[in-house]
């Protein structure tokens, strides 16, 4: 854990909307897709518990959202996850925190990067889910939603470890749905293609602005809000409907390796 303020258990039940009275945990809420999900869910009336490592970002967000629980937590720190999430009651878990590092071929990759990607994208999802799911099962309701990726369905050169991690996320989602059928808890994965206006490519390409720009050159990629709207739609289906897997592409992207770019 990197530092935490107020243990995130203050309740604010004052908001109206389709998610009023439901409490949502969102990892990776300090930027990009997680931030957009926080805004969307709050707009729909949910109480929020926001998680990321950058507490200052989360604090700013709570002001914008008119209140939220904040937990500055590194999801790779399993002991901290277990300690801080013990006994926490939530109705919705959004496992969004994740990253890719580099675009090296496997023969040239850095094992330290591999470790961090696997620890965050796979072990982080497992640790958080293990901490929060038993309470949901005991209460007989809830939603556990992964932000996967099309990289969990296809692979591409230079993406081996990231793709492996997202394939693992999809396997975890599938196993959970099989293990807990009939429990009242729903499991979903939202798998987007390329999404801009997040820090994903800046992190992956270590701040190389020219290369980051090239990723999205001549394309209208998905926006974080597009993903958040899909998440909100899934969460607001009636209880007998479990949207399992939702793949979201930019219109200009046909696969992880096929992107139509405007010339110029
Ligand atoms: P961002 O880099 O903008 O967001 C990543 C978030 O994860 C940040 O809030 C970051 O916060 C948090 N995070 C990273 N590591 C940790 C950690 N160890 N513990 C806690 N929080 C952590 O990227 P996106 O919004 O694009 O990515 C969100 C998810 O969407 C990821 O799982 C990514 O794989 C997936 N995705 C992204 C796509 C894209 O094209 N952008 C496409 C498909 C899927 P902080 O640094 O403050 O900890
Ligand atoms: C991010 C999408 O295609 O860069 O998950 O792997 S991609």
């Amino acid at each position: 854990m990197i530092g935490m303020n107020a243990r995130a258990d203050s309740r604010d039940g004052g908001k109206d909307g389709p998610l009023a009275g439901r409490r949502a945990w969102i990892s990776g809420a300090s930027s990009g897709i997680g931030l957009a999900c926080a805004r969307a869910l709050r707009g729909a009336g949910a109480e929020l518990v926001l998680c990321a490592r950058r507490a200052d970002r989360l604090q700013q967000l709570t002001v914008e959202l008119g209140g939220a629980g904040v937990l500055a937590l590194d999801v790779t720190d399993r002991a901290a996850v277990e300690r801080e999430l013990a006994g926490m009651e939530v109705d919705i878990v959004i496992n969004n925190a994740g990253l890719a590092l580099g675009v090296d071929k496997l023969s040239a990759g850095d094992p330290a990067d591999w470790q961090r990607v696997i620890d965050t994208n796979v072990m982080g999802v497992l640790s958080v889910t293990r901490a929060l799911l038993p309470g949901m099962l005991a209460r007989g309701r809830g939603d556990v939603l992964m932000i996967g990726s099309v990289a969990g369905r296809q692979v591409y050169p230079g993406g081996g470890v990231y793709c492996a991690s997202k394939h693992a996320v999809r396997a975890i989602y599938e196993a959970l749905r099989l293990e807990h059928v009939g429990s009242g808890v729903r499991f979903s994965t939202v798998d987007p293609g390329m999404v801009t206006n997040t820090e994903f490519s800046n992190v992956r390409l270590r701040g190389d602005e020219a290369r980051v720009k090239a990723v999205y050159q001549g394309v209208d990629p998905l926006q974080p809000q597009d993903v958040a709207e899909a998440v909100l739609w899934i969460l607001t289906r009636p209880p007998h409907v479990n949207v399992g897997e939702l793949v979201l592409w930019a219109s200009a992207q046909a696969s992880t390796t096929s992107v139509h770019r405007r010339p110029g």
Side-chain angles (χ1 to χ4, degrees), residues 209-234:
E209 288 299 335
R211 292 175 78 201
V212 171
K213 205 171 158 204
V215 173
Y216 306 107
Q217 194 75 44
V219 187
D220 291 326
L222 297 168
Q223 298 291 331
Q225 297 89 322
D226 298 322
V227 182
E229 282 175 20
V231 167
L232 188 55
W233 179 74
I234 289 172

Side-chain angles (χ1 to χ4, degrees), residues 39-209:
R39 287 177 173 147
L41 268 62
R42 185 66 180 154
E47 294 176 33
L48 301 180
V49 183
L50 307 173
C51 159
R53 293 164 302 179
R54 287 171 292 182
D56 53 334
R57 293 268 192 110
L58 298 179
Q59 289 296 359
Q60 284 169 17
L61 186 55
T62 61
V63 174
E64 175 196 320
L65 298 176
V70 165
L71 201 50
L73 184 69
D74 183 337
V75 296
T76 69
D77 184 342
R78 187 151 51 90
V81 170
E82 285 174 7
R83 185 178 62 246
E84 299 302 334
L85 273 58
M88 184 183 287
E89 291 189 6
V90 296
D91 308 290
I92 297 166
V93 174
I94 300 186
N95 280 312
N96 164 76
L99 79 167
L101 288 172
V103 288
D104 292 325
K105 293 178 182 169
L106 291 171
S107 53
D110 180 345
D113 286 350
W114 301 347
Q115 190 74 59
R116 205 168 132 221
V117 169
I118 298 290
D119 284 351
T120 308
N121 298 5
V122 183
M123 288 304 296
V125 167
L126 288 168
S127 302
V128 167
T129 304
R130 190 173 188 278
L132 295 175
L133 179 57
M136 300 168 90
L137 292 170
R139 292 186 293 282
R141 63 174 192 277
D143 284 280
V144 177
L145 192 147
M146 315 293 179
I147 301 297
S149 168
V150 295
R153 298 170 172 273
Q154 303 174 0
V155 295
Y156 54 91
V161 172
Y162 178 67
C163 293
S165 77
K166 289 298 186 178
H167 275 68
V169 169
R170 192 149 70 91
I172 292 163
Y173 141 75
E174 281 187 25
L176 287 167
R177 207 160 65 79
L178 288 165
E179 287 170 359
H180 300 295
V181 62
S183 67
V185 179
R186 302 183 296 190
F187 300 91
S188 310
T189 182
V190 173
D191 296 348
M194 60 200 308
V195 183
T196 191
N197 289 320
T198 84
E199 297 175 3
F200 180 84
S201 290
N202 303 67
V203 171
R204 178 175 218 168
L205 301 170
R206 296 187 161 87
D208 184 334
E209 288 299 335

